[in-house]
Amino acid sequence: MATLNGSQSTIKALLASDISICFGNPGTSEMHFLAALDQIKGIRCVLGLHESIVTGAADGYYRLSGKPAVTLLHLAPGLANGLSNLHNAKKANSGILNIVGEHATYHLKYDAPLSGDIEGVARPMSHWVKTSTDVDRVSHDAALAASIAKEKSGQIATLILPADVSWLSTEVISPAVDPMPLKRVEASVIQSIAKTIHQYKNVVLLLGGVALRGKALAYAGKIAEKTGCRILSEGQNARIERGHGRVAVQRLPFDVKGAQETLKDTQHLILIGAKLPIAFFAYPNLPSLLIPQNCEVFTLATHENFVELALEDLMVELGAQNIVEKTSVFTLNSMPTGDVNTDSLGQFLGACLPDNAIVVDEAVSTGRGFFKPTEQARQHDWLNSMGSSLGYALPVAIGCAIAQPDRPVVALVGDGSAMFSVQSLWTMARENLNVTVLIFANKAYKILKNELVSVGLTSPTQTALNMLSLSSPTLDWVSMAKAHGVEGFRVGKIEALVKIFNHCINQRGTQLIEVDL
Ligand SMILES: Cc1ncc(C[n+]2csc(CCOP(=O)(O)OP(=O)(O)O)c2C)c(N)n1
Ligand SMILES: [Mg+2]
C-alpha cells in the first residue's frame, strides 16, 4: 500500500465519511494539512478572514445540507476566535468537525508563542475532544470525529492534530465509522401522549429542531387539525420551513410577558425536539419558567430521537394520517410606502421574499415583528441565532449559500450585529455567493437601550448612552460593502428598497442594502 502522511490519511478518512467542504483559516501548524487538501482533491476549501466566519459558515452549511463541514483552525488562539459561533452552532444542534492544528508533540514542552491549552479551549463548545497523537490512528480518529459530528441530530467534534502527526508516514487509512442511529420513541410513550391529547383541551405541541421541517411539520399539522391541540415553536429555531404551502406555526414571543400570555391556558405541554420554555434572561420579579404553574409537561422526542418518526407514530395513533393539514397561502397584501420602519419592513418582506428564500435573521429589535407578516409569504426557510452570540448571520449566510447555491439567501442583520463579522462580505464576494444582505442601520444597540429602561434607568446620561450608540462616527455600509468587493446601496424609503431588493434578488452574487432607520 502507498505510504501517506498523517494529514493525507486524515483527508482520505474524511472523504470516506462524506465530508466535502472545509472552511478555514490556516497557519504554519496546519500547512501539512493544507498541502494534503491540495494534493488529494475532493474537499472544497473556503477561506474566512476570522475564525468566527469559519465556524459560523460551518453552522449554516449544516443547517441547510444536514452534513458536517470541517473547520481548519490555528492552535488555541484560532479556535478561541471561533468559539462564539461554535457556541451558536452547538445550541442549534449543528454538526461540525473542527480540526485544530497543534505544535509538534516534542515541541510543546518549550512553550512556544502560539502554544496553549487547546483541549481546555475546545471543551465548553464541543461534545467531543481528542488530541490525536499516533499517526497510525489519526485517520480513525478523524472518521470517529466525523461520525460523532453526525450523531444526535448534529454535534461539535474537535480533533486536535499535532504537526508531527500530520507529517509522519503511515499506511493506515480508516474507513468511515457509522454514527449511532437516532433512537425510536417507545410505543408506550406514544400511546400515553396520544391519550393525553385525546382526553384534554388546552394541549400545546411545542416544536423545535427538525420537527419544524418537512414531513414532521406536516404530521404535526394533521394532529392539530384532527384533535384541536395548538402547535407552537420555540422562540428561536435553527431552521423552520414556512410560508406558502407550509403549516403555519406561531413562535413563542421573546418577551417574558408575551410568552406567558401565549401559554397561559396551557395545561398539557408536549415537547417535540424542543426544550422547556424559559425566559431569555432572568429579571427581578419575573419567572424563569414560562409555563403556568399547573401545566403538565411531557416529552415526546428530544434531538436524540428520530423526531419525524415519533410524530408519524403519534399521528397514526391518533388516526390523523388521512387528515389534510391547514397550510399558508401566499397572499400579496398592498405594498407599504414611505419611511422604512419595523412595520413597513415586515410588510415589505411578506410581499417581496422570493420563492424558496433562505432567510438568516439577526435583525434584533428591527425584526421582532417580522414573523407574522411573513407567515403568508412565498415558501421560504427562516433561521434564527440559537445561542444569541452576535455576529452569527453573515457567516451563517455563507454556509447556507454554499450548501444551496441555487436558492436566494437573504440576511437580515442589525448594524451592531453585522460589525462582529463584517469580513464575511469578502468571502461572499470571493465565492460569488447568492446573498442579499439587509443592514438595519439604526446606529445603535437599540435593544439594549430598551433593556436599560427595563432595569429602571429611565434617564440615562452619556456614560451609559455612549456604550449603546453606534454614531459619531457613523458606519458607512456602502463603503464597507465596496471595501469587501460587494456592491452596496443605501435606502431610506420603502419604494427604493423594493426596487433595489428586486434588482439584487434577480442578480447572482452578493449585494448589500443599508436600510437607513
Ligand atoms: C457576543 C455578544 N456580545 C454582546 C451581546 C449583547 N447584545 C445583545 S443585542 C446587542 C445589540 C445588537 O445591536 P444591533 O445588531 O444593532 O441591533 P439593534 O438592537 O440595534 O436592533 C448586544 C451588544 C451579545 N448578545 N453577544
Ligand atoms: Mg442597531
Side-chain angles (χ1 to χ4, degrees), residues 235-347:
Q236 291 140 286
N237 302 293
R239 181 165 69 83
I240 172 168
E241 294 178 354
R242 59 198 300 271
H244 182 79
R246 263 83 180 253
V247 173
V249 183
Q250 190 195 343
R251 194 166 59 161
L252 264 184
F254 169 83
D255 65 297
V256 175
K257 294 221 164 107
Q260 279 185 303
E261 179 62 25
T262 304
L263 290 168
K264 72 173 190 298
D265 298 323
T266 308
Q267 285 168 355
H268 299 89
L269 181 75
I270 319 256
L271 302 176
I272 307 176
K275 290 188 194 154
L276 201 57
I278 43 123
F280 220 88
F281 292 104
Y283 297 90
N285 308 319
L286 285 178
S288 294
L289 261 183
L290 300 173
I291 48 172
Q293 262 179 359
N294 59 352
C295 175
E296 248 192 295
V297 180
F298 305 81
T299 299
L300 176 72
T302 72
H303 67 283
E304 297 189 20
N305 295 118
F306 196 163
V307 172
E308 184 186 302
L309 189 56
L311 269 163
E312 185 176 1
D313 288 346
L314 184 64
M315 169 187 72
V316 171
E317 186 68 30
L318 288 162
Q321 61 270 40
N322 295 323
I323 301 285
V324 178
E325 68 276 19
K326 203 183 280 164
T327 53
S328 296
V329 177
F330 173 57
T331 312
L332 191 58
N333 294 315
S334 63
M335 194 71 79
T337 53
D339 289 343
V340 284
N341 56 47
T342 51
D343 288 339
S344 62
L345 284 169
Q347 291 165 33

Side-chain angles (χ1 to χ4, degrees), residues 84 88 280-281 362-368 387-391 413-420 440-451 467-468 470 517:
S84 139
N88 288 329
F280 220 88
F281 292 104
E362 197 176 29
V364 196
S365 67
T366 309
R368 275 292 145 72
S388 281
S389 183
L390 296 187
V413 202
D415 47 2
S417 301
M419 280 308 291
F420 280 74
F440 298 122
N442 57 14
K443 292 107 190 154
Y445 289 161
K446 186 163 177 219
I447 192 168
L448 295 184
K449 289 189 172 175
N450 303 340
E451 293 285 313
M467 296 299 279
L468 308 179
L470 299 179
L517 286 160

Side-chain angles (χ1 to χ4, degrees), residues 41-65:
K41 301 296 180 202
I43 297 187
R44 176 175 174 186
C45 296
V46 176
L47 177 61
L49 300 185
H50 183 273
E51 291 80 352
S52 68
I53 317 299
V54 169
T55 51
D59 180 5
Y61 180 80
Y62 184 86
R63 294 199 205 188
L64 266 298
S65 69

Side-chain angles (χ1 to χ4, degrees), residues 14-318:
L14 295 177
L15 286 169
S17 305
D18 194 28
I19 290 199
S20 53
I21 187 140
C22 171
F23 298 101
N25 192 293
T28 305
S29 40
E30 295 78 45
M31 275 310 121
H32 284 87
F33 194 83
L34 184 60
L37 282 167
D38 197 56
Q39 290 156 341
I40 302 169
K41 301 296 180 202
I43 297 187
R44 176 175 174 186
C45 296
V46 176
L47 177 61
L49 300 185
H50 183 273
E51 291 80 352
S52 68
I53 317 299
V54 169
T55 51
D59 180 5
Y61 180 80
Y62 184 86
R63 294 199 205 188
L64 266 298
S65 69
K67 277 174 44 167
V70 159
T71 68
L72 183 61
L73 304 166
H74 187 47
L75 301 106
L79 172 61
N81 278 345
L83 285 184
S84 139
N85 270 331
L86 275 183
H87 159 87
N88 288 329
K90 190 172 179 225
K91 298 275 183 186
N93 288 320
S94 288
I96 297 178
L97 199 180
N98 301 310
I99 295 194
V100 187
E102 169 63 297
H103 285 301
T105 47
Y106 60 84
H107 193 62
L108 274 173
K109 61 176 177 285
Y110 301 112
D111 192 25
L114 274 158
S115 62
D117 178 6
I118 305 179
E119 289 192 8
V121 174
R123 220 163 265 124
M125 311 304 184
S126 306
H127 295 89
W128 179 94
V129 180
K130 180 167 185 188
T131 304
S132 205
T133 51
D134 177 352
V135 70
D136 288 333
R137 298 236 0 129
V138 69
S139 70
H140 173 73
D141 288 342
L144 182 61
S147 79
I148 283 167
K150 293 173 190 170
E151 282 173 6
K152 298 183 186 174
S153 313
Q155 303 192 103
I156 313 287
T158 301
L159 180 69
I160 299 161
L161 191 56
D164 50 347
V165 176
S166 273
W167 74 54
L168 289 171
S169 300
T170 182
E171 291 186 351
V172 182
I173 303 169
S174 173
V177 174
D178 285 335
M180 250 179 0
L182 293 166
K183 289 184 255 176
R184 185 169 185 165
V185 176
E186 285 174 25
S188 58
V189 175
I190 305 279
Q191 283 154 9
S192 105
I193 289 178
K195 211 166 140 195
T196 302
I197 296 176
H198 205 66
Q199 209 169 345
Y200 297 101
K201 286 186 180 152
N202 301 331
V203 177
V204 166
L205 309 184
L206 186 67
L207 309 182
V210 295
L212 291 159
R213 304 169 203 164
K215 286 185 190 160
L217 180 57
Y219 297 155
K222 288 177 194 292
I223 293 169
E225 199 57 26
K226 162 102 192 198
T227 66
C229 70
R230 273 201 301 161
I231 48 179
L232 295 176
S233 84
E234 293 184 291
Q236 291 140 286
N237 302 293
R239 181 165 69 83
I240 172 168
E241 294 178 354
R242 59 198 300 271
H244 182 79
R246 263 83 180 253
V247 173
V249 183
Q250 190 195 343
R251 194 166 59 161
L252 264 184
F254 169 83
D255 65 297
V256 175
K257 294 221 164 107
Q260 279 185 303
E261 179 62 25
T262 304
L263 290 168
K264 72 173 190 298
D265 298 323
T266 308
Q267 285 168 355
H268 299 89
L269 181 75
I270 319 256
L271 302 176
I272 307 176
K275 290 188 194 154
L276 201 57
I278 43 123
F280 220 88
F281 292 104
Y283 297 90
N285 308 319
L286 285 178
S288 294
L289 261 183
L290 300 173
I291 48 172
Q293 262 179 359
N294 59 352
C295 175
E296 248 192 295
V297 180
F298 305 81
T299 299
L300 176 72
T302 72
H303 67 283
E304 297 189 20
N305 295 118
F306 196 163
V307 172
E308 184 186 302
L309 189 56
L311 269 163
E312 185 176 1
D313 288 346
L314 184 64
M315 169 187 72
V316 171
E317 186 68 30
L318 288 162

